[in-house]
Amino acid sequence: MSLKNTYAPSQVVWELTLQCNLKCIHCGSSAGKARPNELSTAEALNLCKDLAEIDSKEVCFMGGEPFLRKEWYRLGREVRDLGMRLLVISNGFIGNEDIISKLVKLQPYGVSISLDGATAQTHDHIRGVEGSFKKAMEFIFLSRKADLPTAVITTVNKLNFKELPMIKELLLGKHVAWQIQTASPEGRFPEKLLLSEEEFYSLGLFIASLQTKYSTKELPVVGAHCCGYYSRYIPHVGLSSDWRGCQAGISILSVKSNGDVIGCLATSDKYIEGNIRNRSIIEIWNNPNSFAYNRHFKTTDLGDNCIDCRYGEKCKGGCMGMSIALTGKPHNDPYCYYKIEQKLS
């Protein structure tokens, strides 16, 4: 069976531009200025067609700030016309009625806005620009008013960890989904603000408690791929029923604004598989040697943190992004509920 039939991207994460109007301290991409030589409109439109050709199910626009790319609406329309679902992740800073009206026309599968504090003081400090909290809250309101499927993404670090219950109060009963993830020490993020293992474990308990206490109608909440794994006490808090290892290059595909192709944007440039200007994304995705770290994973690939774990074969060493950021190695994520419980027992 060919790889084309074996693998198809459930989601493509597309960095439309690295240009950004905020200066977030946790930004793994150190976004701000556009990358040199970002894809032209013609190249981007051709990429949409190639993504449909490899049977991509949904395409997620992000940045930087995706709304700063002037062709974002045209590209979104192309994604939809080709039969793929569209998602957008924004910081909400330039959200306005015009953007909302265009989103309504596109009928996206989801619109996510970053919210990193329950107060302007905390959010604006993390986001690096005064007024960003007010703008984000306004955009969340406009998105919900337009009946768009709206979500909030909170990236947790030591500065906002204690505000999670207050953020919950802002979202409860508002028909807004909540994705919670942890910041990792890459890009601009200083390691001193990384959650401790104890805080990370407490975060898992917090997410699990919300999922138990509230219905999905009251507060749909999930932990991202960095939250886990195989706890004796904390149920899996992600979208799926359990964790089956990093999906980069298996069901997740990412594209940088200059055409670089990588499994996950949270991994280092070492894991770039090629550039669509040199080889089409069809060729890169279908190449049997691409994404070998996941597609051809063996338990002997596990790092020191995971090599003796009973769940190693299934878990594959946790989140690749966290693993590489924290240890410099793949399949070696120390931020693991099971591992932490072993230390405490």
Side-chain angles (χ1 to χ4, degrees):
M1 183 181 291
S2 70
L3 278 176
K4 183 174 181 179
N5 294 324
T6 302
Y7 299 105
S10 296
Q11 185 180 86
V12 177
V13 181
W14 184 354
E15 176 196 86
L16 286 191
T17 179
L18 196 63
Q19 184 181 0
C20 192
N21 43 16
L22 300 185
K23 304 170 185 176
C24 306
I25 62 174
H26 60 255
C27 183
S29 303
S30 300
K33 294 182 179 179
R35 293 184 189 276
N37 201 21
E38 294 194 332
L39 296 178
S40 68
T41 303
E43 289 171 323
L45 289 169
N46 187 65
L47 174 60
C48 292
K49 294 181 175 64
D50 285 351
L51 291 175
E53 180 67 24
I54 58 175
D55 200 26
S56 304
K57 301 296 185 292
E58 61 186 40
V59 178
C60 177
F61 288 175
M62 65 174 296
E65 171 50 48
F67 294 137
L68 290 177
R69 169 111 192 196
K70 63 181 181 179
E71 308 96 342
W72 75 266
Y73 176 72
R74 184 178 178 185
L75 296 175
R77 190 173 58 196
E78 186 74 5
V79 166
R80 288 301 316 277
D81 288 348
L82 289 165
M84 296 175 285
R85 294 190 296 261
L86 175 68
L87 297 91
V88 181
I89 299 176
S90 170
N91 60 39
F93 196 76
I94 58 171
N96 53 42
E97 295 283 1
D98 178 60
I99 287 175
I100 291 292
S101 66
K102 288 177 178 177
L103 287 171
V104 169
K105 291 176 184 177
L106 290 173
Q107 297 182 304
Y109 188 66
V111 177
S112 296
I113 301 98
S114 300
L115 185 65
D116 291 318
T119 64
Q121 181 180 6
T122 300
H123 180 91
D124 290 1
H125 176 67
I126 291 172
R127 291 266 147 185
V129 173
E130 187 176 349
S132 56
F133 177 78
K134 182 175 183 290
K135 294 285 189 180
M137 294 300 294
E138 288 173 352
F139 191 55
I140 293 167
F141 172 78
L142 288 173
S143 183
R144 282 304 307 133
K145 183 181 177 183
D147 203 28
L148 291 166
T150 307
V152 156
I153 299 176
T154 299
T155 304
V156 186
N157 60 65
K158 286 186 180 296
L159 297 177
N160 61 7
F161 177 67
K162 292 182 179 179
E163 291 194 12
L164 292 173
M166 292 185 286
I167 297 176
K168 181 260 292 184
E169 292 299 326
L170 291 176
L171 304 179
L172 186 61
K174 302 295 195 301
H175 302 286
V176 175
W178 192 14
Q179 177 179 305
I180 300 175
Q181 58 195 34
T182 56
S184 62
E186 53 192 338
R188 283 197 289 261
F189 186 66
E191 191 164 357
K192 66 181 181 180
L193 295 181
L194 177 72
L195 295 181
S196 67
E197 289 186 2
E198 292 79 6
E199 289 168 331
F200 173 77
Y201 193 84
S202 296
L203 178 62
L205 291 170
F206 174 75
I207 298 170
S209 70
L210 293 182
Q211 292 177 339
T212 300
K213 184 174 182 179
Y214 300 108
S215 68
T216 53
K217 185 176 181 180
E218 293 173 297
L219 183 65
V221 56
V222 296
H225 53 271
C226 51
C227 296
Y229 314 86
Y230 294 99
S231 167
R232 286 176 287 179
Y233 312 108
I234 303 174
H236 185 62
V237 296
L239 283 173
S240 59
S241 59
D242 65 354
W243 171 258
R244 293 284 174 173
C246 173
Q247 292 298 299
I250 296 176
S251 64
I252 302 295
L253 173 63
S254 301
V255 185
K256 298 191 179 188
S257 56
N258 63 356
D260 284 341
V261 177
I262 195 166
C264 173
L265 290 175
T267 54
S268 66
D269 286 354
K270 174 184 175 181
Y271 294 89
I272 292 172
E273 300 288 342
N275 188 286
I276 65 169
R277 289 183 170 126
N278 303 319
R279 293 188 297 155
S280 75
I281 204 162
I282 300 171
E283 182 181 351
I284 293 172
W285 181 259
N286 291 332
N287 189 316
N289 296 317
S290 294
F291 313 102
Y293 55 90
N294 270 344
R295 291 184 179 181
H296 305 307
F297 168 79
K298 308 178 297 298
T299 54
T300 52
D301 296 330
L302 293 168
D304 295 343
N305 289 316
C306 307
I307 190 65
D308 296 322
C309 180
R310 61 186 293 189
Y311 299 109
E313 184 175 4
K314 185 162 53 173
C315 176
K316 300 180 182 178
C319 170
M320 282 279 292
M322 288 291 284
S323 177
I324 294 165
L326 292 171
T327 72
K329 300 176 182 178
H331 312 296
N332 195 42
D333 185 359
Y335 274 47
C336 163
Y337 301 152
Y338 181 68
K339 183 87 174 178
I340 294 169
E341 287 167 357
Q342 283 185 312
K343 290 180 181 179
L344 296 175
S345 62

